[in-house]
Each structure stands twice: as structure tokens, then as C-alpha cells.
Amino acid sequence: MIELRELSTDDWQLWRELRLAALEEAPYAFGSQLADWVDAEEDRWRARLDLPGSRNFVAVLDGTPVGMASGIRTDENGVVELISMWIAPAGRGRGIGDQLMAQVEQWARETAAAHTLQLSVADGNEKAHALYLRSGFTDTDIEGELMPDGIHHELVMRKPL
């Protein structure tokens, strides 16, 4: 059974566990690096969960946390960004990514009054890119952030709500 939970700042240890696992298992997929977070203090983890205009969700499969995703308002009116999405290998292929995206999308529509959901995906992360395409996102011409390798940029995708 898959359960989706919204996190509060008091859930920082759960968020830390998943985020560190994500950065270790899929370093190519994130703008952050494991070394940036591995020794972070509790205050930094709490602050990440308390970003203004954001919501953070985890997926729990049979009692084990296996996925995460966040939504955050952008500076562009009506645009919410899907960030920090990751599914543990044990949770892949079970629709957890779809459920987490749907949860962020629901929040974006109902609470954030968004008309567009945006995300960035690492160039070359074909499985994630395919998931996002299947979910209604399309590629844009917007230049994404520079990846830690200093060469590649993230690919920005958008979905109308």
C-alpha cells in the first residue's frame, strides 16, 4: 500500500534520510551534491522544509519511505515548480512518481492558484524525462540551471494546469 504524506519541519529527519539517499543513489539527477548536505545541521534541514510558498511530500510503501517531491512557488505569477523528486529503487515501477506529481499538481492548482507546473530535469536523465513527458510535460527553450559538472544545463519542462 502506498501512502502519501505532507511533511512539516518536524519531519526533517525523514526528509534528511530520503534526500541523502537520493543524492547518493542518483547524483547525476540533482543540482545539489551529497557533500553539500551530508553534514548539514538540523536547522538547515528544517529550513529546507520551511521554504516560503512550498509543500513537501513523501511516499511510503508498506511502511517504508520510498519517494519524495516538493512544490514551490516561483517568481513568475501562476507558475509552481516541482523540485526534489526522487523514487528509491524499491519503489520504482509502482506509480509512485505519478502519485507524487499528482499531489504537487493538486496543491499547485488548489492552494497556489497556479496555471503552470514547471520542473527541471538533468540532461541525460532519460527515465525521468520519459516519465515527465508521459505526464503531460513538454520541453521548453528556457535555459536551466548549470549542473555541478559545470558543463551541462538542466532541461526545463512545463505542463499547463
Side-chain angles (χ1 to χ4, degrees), residues 16-38 45 68 86:
R16 179 184 187 278
E17 175 187 333
L18 281 169
R19 183 67 173 165
L20 293 179
L23 293 171
E24 184 174 8
E25 192 270 332
Y28 56 86
F30 298 99
S32 296
Q33 297 180 325
L34 181 61
D36 299 333
W37 284 93
V38 72
W45 289 104
M68 64 182 188
W86 177 75

Side-chain angles (χ1 to χ4, degrees), residues 102-160:
Q103 191 71 33
V104 171
E105 189 173 316
Q106 180 180 345
W107 166 77
R109 278 192 181 109
E110 295 174 2
T111 307
H115 57 71
T116 302
L117 189 59
Q118 175 176 295
L119 61 83
S120 296
V121 62
D123 187 26
N125 189 349
E126 296 305 322
K127 288 185 179 185
H129 188 241
L131 169 67
Y132 300 141
L133 288 172
R134 282 192 315 273
S135 298
F137 287 87
T138 57
D139 296 336
T140 71
D141 293 331
I142 301 168
E143 184 174 65
E145 295 290 320
L146 188 63
M147 293 297 294
D149 66 7
I151 300 169
H152 298 95
H153 287 265
E154 295 175 315
L155 173 65
V156 177
M157 303 177 79
R158 284 190 162 186
K159 176 182 182 176

Side-chain angles (χ1 to χ4, degrees), residues 53-116:
S54 70
R55 291 294 185 278
N56 305 282
F57 304 97
V58 296
V60 179
L61 176 65
D62 298 327
T64 302
V66 293
M68 64 182 188
S70 297
I72 187 165
R73 295 174 198 238
T74 68
D75 292 337
E76 187 177 347
N77 190 34
V79 178
V80 164
E81 188 168 12
L82 172 70
I83 62 172
S84 300
M85 183 149 148
W86 177 75
I87 310 302
R92 293 179 186 157
R94 298 172 182 255
I96 293 170
D98 294 321
Q99 289 184 39
L100 283 167
M101 283 190 293
Q103 191 71 33
V104 171
E105 189 173 316
Q106 180 180 345
W107 166 77
R109 278 192 181 109
E110 295 174 2
T111 307
H115 57 71
T116 302

